[in-house]
Amino acid sequence: MRRTTPFTTTTAPVAVIGTIALSLTGSPAHAGPSAPAERAQMRGLPAAAGTVEALASAATALAQASARPKSHTVVRGDTVSAIAARHGLRTADVLAWNGLGWKSIIHPGDVLRLSPSESATTMHRAKAVSRDTSHGASDARGAGTHTVTKGDTLWAIARSEGVSLARLLRANDLTTSSIIYPGQKLEIPGRAAAPAAASAARKSASSSGSAAKRVVLDDEQVRGVKTIIAVGRELGVPEKGIAIALATAMVESWIRNVDYGTHDSLGLFQQRPSMGWGSADEVRDPRRATAAFFGGPGDPNGTATRGLLDIDGWRDMEFGAAAQAVQVSAYPHRYATWEDQAYEWLEAYG
């Protein structure tokens, strides 16, 4: 009777090694889902994951994700982008998980999440299940609008409407640091049709420069409009400059003299005392804030800040670009969407 010896790792036949090597090479274009590269793609790995190097890289990435801490305590010199890169994350994700915007400031001692909140994810899924079992009502709810009331926050609205905060922000061209106001209407994206509609609306806005929804100004907003126009007239600002100021105030504060904002931003134009725009009381003085926005010889801040009239060639700039030159916003295209209505307000109340 012939005796056989089991294979060991040191005596593996060349044929076996060759078979393993062949299984790690590229597969024909017609290969089925069993091909290594396609199996890798089905798992969400890169298309080239059928190679030894890519598989090793993917394994390393999975190991890093498993070892990643759940939070990071900020130290001096840290930035959100540097923290994200250090842990193999996208900056946008770290911002969203911590309710921050691109202009947010972090401080030593702050604790940042390095993954989405489990409670938020669970709540979102529960909302989604609730909508799916509501006999069709979810489609109408998911593609409607929400009128902001006092005390509302973007996170609370997203949660109550059963949509992710990221989708709510994208549908309304907002950031986590954007300010919302009572009476403002927000688009609530639907599960399928609404994102496409929102994309089309944004494309229309970018091409026409005047696609903002029409609004009827209330008494507080009318007072703000009249103040901006009056100060502009007194300073000899051209019509275009006054219209730019009106559109800017609409974007920044909904033309309301608010006593809150991102960080220490206040007033009609969300000017920041910490950035030299004046004291808290000064930036909430509508006339002074407007004069500071216009700048020029009548700038109450002197040369500490730069207003519209201080920008070389502002008259020849595109409407939104001129506003952006003063405000330095993360979403510069939003100003141009109010251009037509700004000129209408100027004509009606000027």
Side-chain angles (χ1 to χ4, degrees):
M1 182 174 177
R2 196 165 78 179
R3 300 177 60 188
T4 60
T5 303
F7 291 127
T8 65
T9 56
T10 60
T11 61
V14 173
V16 174
I17 297 175
T19 301
I20 295 173
L22 285 172
S23 72
L24 294 175
T25 59
S27 301
H30 62 272
S34 61
E38 295 191 11
R39 289 202 305 272
Q41 288 180 333
M42 292 173 65
R43 295 190 185 100
L45 298 175
T51 65
V52 175
E53 293 82 359
L55 285 172
S57 176
T60 300
L62 290 173
Q64 290 175 342
S66 300
R68 182 184 303 135
K70 293 184 178 180
S71 64
H72 173 87
T73 301
V74 177
V75 298
R76 181 180 292 275
D78 267 350
T79 65
V80 176
S81 59
I83 294 169
R86 190 181 312 153
H87 295 286
L89 299 169
R90 296 172 62 247
T91 302
D93 289 337
V94 177
L95 292 173
W97 296 336
N98 291 278
L100 301 174
W102 289 97
K103 298 169 70 175
S104 296
I105 298 174
I106 58 175
H107 306 277
D110 289 350
V111 178
L112 301 184
R113 294 189 59 86
L114 299 180
S115 62
S117 167
E118 292 181 5
S119 60
T121 302
T122 301
M123 186 173 296
H124 172 64
R125 288 176 178 170
K127 287 286 186 179
V129 171
S130 175
R131 292 201 315 277
D132 288 342
T133 57
S134 61
H135 305 291
S138 60
D139 287 334
R141 177 183 177 84
T145 60
H146 176 96
T147 301
V148 178
T149 59
K150 187 174 182 179
D152 267 350
T153 65
L154 289 166
W155 170 250
I157 294 170
R159 183 177 59 186
S160 68
E161 296 291 346
V163 299
S164 69
L165 177 60
R167 290 187 64 200
L168 179 66
L169 295 175
R170 285 197 300 270
N172 293 277
D173 203 10
L174 300 172
T175 70
T176 52
S177 60
S178 295
I179 299 172
I180 55 176
Y181 310 92
Q184 183 177 356
K185 291 186 182 297
L186 299 180
E187 292 290 337
I188 305 302
R191 289 196 301 270
S199 176
R202 286 194 294 272
K203 183 180 293 184
S204 174
S206 64
S207 62
S208 67
S210 57
K213 287 190 174 181
R214 305 203 64 77
V215 300
V216 177
L217 302 179
D218 60 26
D219 291 343
E220 180 182 0
Q221 290 171 310
V222 169
R223 286 195 297 272
V225 166
K226 289 182 176 179
T227 296
I228 292 170
I229 294 173
V231 173
R233 299 287 192 216
E234 293 169 11
L235 296 175
V237 178
E239 300 280 296
K240 179 179 179 179
I242 297 176
I244 289 171
L246 292 172
T248 301
M250 174 55 78
V251 170
E252 297 294 344
S253 70
W254 211 241
I255 318 183
R256 301 188 190 284
N257 191 28
V258 295
D259 59 359
Y260 57 89
T262 303
H263 305 300
D264 59 337
S265 301
L266 300 168
L268 286 172
F269 297 93
Q270 286 293 281
Q271 294 163 343
R272 297 183 61 185
S274 64
M275 302 301 288
W277 287 91
S279 67
D281 288 338
E282 288 174 334
V283 298
R284 290 201 68 242
D285 177 337
R287 288 184 59 85
R288 188 188 188 283
T290 301
F293 174 85
F294 286 130
D299 193 335
N301 293 325
T303 59
T305 55
R306 186 179 73 161
L308 182 65
L309 302 181
D310 302 317
I311 298 168
D312 291 336
W314 74 266
R315 296 173 187 246
D316 300 321
M317 290 181 178
E318 291 183 357
F319 188 94
Q324 168 67 1
V326 180
Q327 299 298 110
V328 194
S329 167
Y331 289 86
H333 59 281
R334 295 175 63 193
Y335 303 109
T337 65
W338 293 97
E339 182 176 0
D340 285 356
Q341 291 184 75
Y343 277 108
E344 291 174 9
W345 301 330
L346 177 57
E347 180 177 359
Y349 301 105

